Amino acid sequence: MSWYTFVGALEQGFIFGLMSLGVYLTFRVLDFPDLSVDGSLPLGAAVCAAIITGGGDPYLSAGAAFLAGVLAGAFTGIISTKLRILNLLAGILTMIALYSINIRIMGAPNLSLLNQPTVFDRFQGLGIQGFAVPMAVVLVILIVLKICLDLFLQTRFGLAVRATGDNPAMVKAQGVNTDNTIIVGVSLSNGLVALSGALLAQAQGSADVGMGVGTIIAGLAAVIIGEAFVGGRSVFVATIGVILGSVVYRLVVAAALSFRFGPLSLAPSDLNLITALLVIVALTFPRVREKLKSRAFR
Amino acid sequence: MRTVLAILLCLLLCPLSGSITPASERTIHIGISQIVEHPALDATRKGFIEDLQDSGYKNINFNYKNAQNNRAVSGQIARTFVGDKVNLIFAISTPSSQDVAALTKEIPILFCAVTDPVAAGLVKSLEAPGGNVSGTTDRSPVAQQLDLIGKVLPAAKRLGTIYNAGETNSVSSVREIKAEAAKRGMSVVEATAASSSAVKMAVESLVGKVDFIHIPTDNTVVLAFESVVKVCRDNKIPLFAADVDSVSRGAIAALAVDYYRMGRQTGAMARRVLEGKAKISEMPVEFQKELLLYLNPRQAELMGVKLPDTLLKEAAKIIQ
């Protein structure tokens, strides 16, 4: 793996790290498996691309993408809590609805951002290698938002959100409206995912309605790999784990892509298999660790 | 235990780090990035590789990567090639081409199977690309296709078409179909399918509203082509395609670009670049020179049509 490819894997790991923080918030904190992310990632890209190609500011477009994601998440949260649609299904409904909406927003299934201004332009030539700029910029955004998320989860409301995932009955007994905690949690989550989509479109030079395929898998993989590394301790540590997981996931994909070892070489079609195996290993790893630990104490 | 995971990871990563160093200076490295496995896209790749091999290139190393329809992976593939400083990148499909074009302004990029390279932001114009990107477009010869249909069904006025509104190539094809149909006084009824499993419903929605169905080169619909054939046969609706492979699968006729030959044509462009005979910024985007006509008379009969003898004589291939 070349240095360039390595930096690229970091860049993608950080961009998808934002998305993975969103998935962590729903999947782990709220215990709400939210599949709308496969639609809200391209939603963010679509909003961002439509604004930039329309002559808008790239920073503004990223902010608008975040808000669009919040709206999409709110929709999932509302139809799930108020209309009592099963959470898994609510996410799927939002996801398929967004497919049509995303094409509407862009006016086409694919919008090119090649030769358009991006949020990365301003930081070119500030002492970092040109191709590493997006990676560095995304890392800063990621750290800031990670800290914001950590702080949010420490607030009174944030604690109620966390408690909703752990024990909704207890939270209700305390007089907290779990519908609200779920709606806000899912909204924030999708805002992060859409922002990640906006940055991805700017880094990759285009927005495509098909770019959301596999988002939830990558997000879950990041969360689970992260837990395998750091374990599920405090929120502060867990969110570091999520980011780490996202980076490791991208490094493994990059490694799989450059894997060539004589007759052992992988076929291009093996990639999905490797991804699935990686997630399974990460899923079973904590359990194996527990077993080994309990044996050591005997 | 974390160390075990770390070691496992290292084992995964280590053998890879050294594996892509160029063997000798004379070896030409070509990266091939393809968005998804698909017969037409696979054919362009085969044509491209075989053109270079047949032309006597010995020390050539083709590094083929497929993104399995995952855009993030496609971006990582682009990274791998640019990082390895390959001599040339062959990008098959619009998203694959955009992903490599976003990363390098130096490495020559040749695309294939891109319907609208200007709208995709790959070239400034078809005649003068202006950057490090050129290639061949698979824009369907829609006018000729409708002329062909006119020879088979002179009285037909209502054209039905099915496509995935998420495929950028299909959207531009359908736009052209509408324009050409309007010139011929035809009306167009559209149906869309977001996945191959939705194709059957889409065909059924056209029954009774159209005189014939013309399918553009749409990946989603072509994947489920059999379901289109079945509904068309049951309702005696003549079915035409924009790719020749669909004729053996049940279309009456197709006048189409040949993806294998288009790959070879792009291979010829690659040779001109590698030999320094042409600058990529000045190489016009190429169209397919010869079109292929495939006919399926038995299928025509099943759909209630007889193919004219004059056409049968022109056909490059008649499926029995």
Side-chain angles (χ1 to χ4, degrees), chain B residues 240-300:
Chain B
F240 299 85
D243 68 298
V244 288
D245 296 322
S246 294
V247 178
S248 55
R249 292 171 71 187
I252 290 180
L255 180 69
V257 294
D258 177 344
Y259 280 91
Y260 174 77
R261 281 199 214 170
M262 201 161 65
R264 291 202 78 119
Q265 203 173 324
T266 323
M269 292 175 84
R271 282 186 277 125
R272 296 210 296 279
V273 172
L274 293 172
E275 287 157 16
K277 286 180 185 160
K279 269 169 101 178
I280 199 149
S281 58
E282 295 160 8
M283 285 173 100
V285 173
E286 294 188 9
F287 287 78
Q288 177 93 58
K289 285 162 192 151
E290 314 143 63
L291 297 172
L292 288 177
L293 173 63
Y294 276 36
L295 297 173
N296 192 335
R298 211 183 64 104
Q299 204 60 234

Side-chain angles (χ1 to χ4, degrees), chain A residues 25 30 70 73-74 77 152 157 161 178-190:
Chain A
L25 182 57
L30 273 176
V70 167
F152 166 72
F157 189 79
V161 171
T178 54
D179 285 3
N180 290 348
T181 51
I182 289 172
I183 293 169
V184 171
V186 178
S187 302
L188 275 183
S189 159
N190 280 283

